[in-house]
Amino acid sequence: MSGCSGGGKSTLLAELARRGFSTVPEPGRRIVTEELRCNGNALPWTDMATFARRAIAMALADRLAAESRKALVFFDRGLVDAAVALEHATGERTVMPLGTAHRYNANVFLAPPWSEIHVHDAERRLEFTEAVAEYARLERAYRALGYTMHLLSRVDVEARADFVLATLGAAPPVAM
């Protein structure tokens, strides 16, 4: 999943996890939580370049760990999102090299800007207008990398999860 900050990605991933699918939480939120806990500085509002580099490293590790799973794994953001953030912050050309070398499933689900559900919290301080600009950068990057993009409708989380699973032809996981 990718798309607008505050667009409902984490809520959708929680619903997919509730249905028994493997999910990987957003690298950025994990980094922010850790940095706030230890008074660190690798935060998107203080040092975006350091934050994005850490998110790239974490996304690569998450991707590698997921390769051993036989079933479908859903990511809340990932490598492309982190590379887009680094490229935006520094101008370093990272999206195409990283995005080409480390592919995900060909389908990416984009959460569009949705002002009615966009909220601030301790880990998300991005203003809605900034989130919309971020969304545009992500959409361009995924398109340039050749992903098939599926726009998530502004519907309840259950309907979003049904759409994702139907698009992928995914059956509910078998309980072990």
Side-chain angles (χ1 to χ4, degrees), residues 95-143:
V95 173
M96 291 308 287
L98 286 171
T100 302
H102 304 282
R103 302 286 297 176
Y104 291 87
N105 183 289
N107 295 285
V108 64
F109 295 89
L110 294 175
W114 192 353
S115 62
E116 292 82 6
I117 66 170
H118 181 88
V119 295
H120 288 96
D121 59 28
E123 290 109 17
R124 183 188 304 121
R125 298 185 183 177
L126 205 60
E127 294 297 328
F128 184 69
T129 55
E130 296 169 295
V132 171
E134 173 195 47
Y135 174 81
R137 290 189 296 274
L138 291 167
E139 188 178 35
R140 280 192 304 273
Y142 280 104
R143 182 171 286 112

Side-chain angles (χ1 to χ4, degrees), residues 53-76:
R53 284 187 178 91
R54 284 200 48 206
I56 287 171
M58 188 176 282
L60 284 168
D62 289 343
R63 202 177 156 285
L64 183 62
E67 284 179 0
S68 65
R69 299 181 194 169
K70 301 285 187 243
L72 199 55
V73 178
F74 291 98
F75 292 82
D76 187 348

Side-chain angles (χ1 to χ4, degrees), residues 1 10 13 23-45 50-52 54-66 69 73-79 81-82 104 121-124:
M1 305 293 154
S10 297
L13 268 282
T23 62
V24 177
E26 179 184 345
R29 278 199 177 258
R30 288 182 278 161
I31 292 165
V32 169
T33 299
E34 180 183 319
E35 291 296 298
L36 290 175
R37 188 180 57 237
C38 68
N39 294 317
N41 199 37
L43 297 163
W45 52 87
T50 299
F51 168 80
R54 284 200 48 206
I56 287 171
M58 188 176 282
L60 284 168
D62 289 343
R63 202 177 156 285
L64 183 62
R69 299 181 194 169
V73 178
F74 291 98
F75 292 82
D76 187 348
R77 295 197 182 259
L79 182 60
D81 296 61
Y104 291 87
D121 59 28
E123 290 109 17
R124 183 188 304 121

Side-chain angles (χ1 to χ4, degrees), residues 11-22:
T11 301
L12 174 55
L13 268 282
E15 174 63 17
L16 291 167
R18 188 191 68 73
R19 294 182 186 197
F21 290 92
S22 293

